[in-house]
Amino acid sequence: MMPLYLGVDVGSVSTNVVAIDGKGEVVDARYLRTQGRPIEAIQQGMREIRTATSDGEIGGVGATGSGRTLAAAIVGADIVKNEITAHAVAALYEEPQVRTVLEIGGQDSKLIILQDGVVVDFAMNTVCAAGTGSFLDHQSTRLGVAIEQFGDFALQSTSPVRIAGRCAVFAESDMIHKQQMGYGLPDIVAGLCEALVRNYLNNVGKGKDLQGPVLFQGGVAANAGIHRAFERALELPVTVPEHHGVMGALGAARLVRDEALRGSFSGSAFRGFQIAGHTYRTRSFECDACSNACEIADISHDGEVVARWGGRCDRWQYRERERTAVSD
Amino acid sequence: MKVSYAHMGTSVMAVNALARTLDYEIVPPTPPTESTLTLGVRHSPEFACIPFKIVLGTYIESLERGARLLVSGGGRGPCRAGYYGEMHRRILLDLGYEHEMLFFWPPLRSPLDFYRKLRTFKGAASWPRVYRALRLTWEKLMALDDLEIRSHRVRPLERCPGDTTRAFRRALGLVDAAETVEETKKARSGGLELLDSVPVYTGDPDDLVKIGVIGEIYVQLEPFANFRLEERLGELGAWVQRSIFLTNFARTDILQRGDQGVAKTAAPYLPENVGGHGQSSVGEIIQYAERGFDGVIQLAPFACIPEIVAKSIVPRLSREYNIPVMTLFIDEQTGEGGIQTRLEAFVDLLRARRRGRKDVDDAALSGS
């Protein structure tokens, strides 16, 4: 049996695990909530994906997302890649001609511009969470509309209300204002979708020339209201890939598969599915060796240190990885 | 009177030597830390830029350790940094720190004012002694810059991540300990040897991704302010070159009225000095592009008007000179994770551009 490749994407809101086969086809994909406990989410993901892999050989593991270093330490990864590159790789598999990738996740959003299959520009939102999944989550709870139906709700609208979407706080008060004025809920929800898209295009897409084909990825791509608002604003068809929610993990899996087939590493660093049953001890402390007062995090299993970081010097470094090759 | 000053990267070692040679008792500023920043943020106007806040925090730490004279200098042109000396002075007085602030303007702006302050600063020291002190300072600055430039070349090729940084720190220690011009020269060559003995991968440095760093001086020179950008890029395998080194800055910006070459290059896009390093940033992007660099990173304190002006011209420069430019705005809200992700993605982007579309194609096609 051909080995499978795993991609693990640990984000602020969701932790996704994907298994692909040697041809790059998705065997299984899992979308889980991180809920502030990334290690447990990774373990749960491993437990779930294990069934789908029927204990087949794992040829390599790729880690991505803001928790990629943690994921790599826990699972044992052969490749650790930033989420921008991972998303771009996944998008290129989906649509080799892709020019624009819109990605909206739980707490950040990205825009990737490609040309001839190469990333030529990208942007990430900085300090503002308006328009990201967390904000939509919050609004759906407040309005009592399930997040899964939020988008369809927006589609019922015939004339969206104009909502100030510059800032999540203002957007919320403006929504409440419109609601107290008696506007219909679908029109308000649709207005919110348009406001968030406007905000995204103004902040993240500032000064960039967006051309088709356009892919819309990330958890928020499931929202039909946002999807439609993007198509209207860009005046371009926007495609939502089948595995839109796990594209980062998919990109990481495909990257590691490519590297494995290219022979860049021999024998995966994968620690095995048993890590799902491990008990990890995490602790943190402030180093008092100098005025930097670094906050050191230390993760161990059975008395063995799995990861330790946070220091600016070597004092708490527990092992050194040798670089496998010159990067170019 | 115990003297102190801002901490701006390695240059502090040269300034320490200057003050010591002039018989000052010094309170050497310590490298900024999170607590320095917290102190600075607490007592600064919210919309002051990050250099203002970090420097204020450093002053407070030095005053707490007994400093009574603060020496600083500030910009030409319409950048707020010119007012920072006075602002810092008043804030510190309001906080109850008795001190004196000696704020130098560039000598050509007001030679008499400069001379008066210089006389105050030199105290009882004779002019030949001042000359010797400046000579030593200059020698140290050159040694520090040379070591840093070498570290940028070695780091992307190091076999073991961190080796170059360790060797660089030891090399800095040598320069810091040197007390004469002769000793400094020896420390410089000893330091270079340390860096050259770092085990590296053999390879043509021309094959490395080359990144130019531009932007405001403090965030360029103080590693704490830029999240150790050069170390990070080096460890990602990129060869970094910074636009500002104190030894070239001293020649072009303090003794003359800015780098005329860069200003001329920038002129078709930005004919005016917009303060700070705004015009230089524009000119330097063009220069890096013409020298075959793969990309440029612009470092800017959040709300820095000169750099915002430059940034508004970046898309056009990027297009016309076919060079990717990434701007990082820095303030106390900036997160390390976000910076690291952007740097990794930027290096990936530059590498992919360099290779052409071949690799990604391979990746895309082998999947189907």
Side-chain angles (χ1 to χ4, degrees), chain A residues 138-151:
Chain A
H138 174 64
Q139 292 312 320
S140 74
T141 314
R142 196 178 66 81
L143 297 172
V145 179
I147 186 74
E148 291 77 15
Q149 285 146 32
F150 207 63

Side-chain angles (χ1 to χ4, degrees), chain A residues 86-224:
Chain A
H87 272 280
V89 167
L92 280 167
Y93 266 88
E94 208 65 42
E95 169 54 70
Q97 303 303 317
V98 62
R99 295 292 307 275
T100 304
V101 178
L102 315 166
E103 197 272 342
I104 304 187
Q107 247 171 41
D108 69 9
S109 42
K110 311 172 191 63
L111 172 66
I112 308 171
I113 312 281
L114 302 99
Q115 204 172 347
D116 302 326
V118 175
V119 177
V120 291
D121 198 3
F122 63 84
M124 287 171 83
N125 70 342
T126 43
V127 286
C128 178
T132 60
S134 303
F135 179 61
L136 285 172
D137 246 4
H138 174 64
Q139 292 312 320
S140 74
T141 314
R142 196 178 66 81
L143 297 172
V145 179
I147 186 74
E148 291 77 15
Q149 285 146 32
F150 207 63
D152 298 324
F153 213 70
L155 293 187
Q156 295 167 21
S157 158
T158 43
S159 80
V161 172
R162 193 169 171 89
I163 306 275
R166 246 287 170 241
C167 161
V169 177
F170 294 143
E172 176 161 329
S173 41
D174 201 27
M175 276 171 72
I176 294 173
H177 169 69
K178 295 281 155 53
Q179 159 196 319
Q180 316 296 46
M181 299 276 290
Y183 291 96
L185 211 47
D187 288 341
I188 293 178
V189 173
L192 178 67
C193 292
E194 293 197 345
L196 297 188
V197 164
R198 226 172 23 242
N199 186 40
Y200 171 94
L201 293 175
N202 285 337
N203 284 335
V204 188
K206 190 167 37 193
K208 304 203 189 300
D209 182 22
L210 307 188
Q211 295 183 23
V214 183
L215 291 192
F216 182 17
Q217 310 182 162
V220 174
N223 186 313

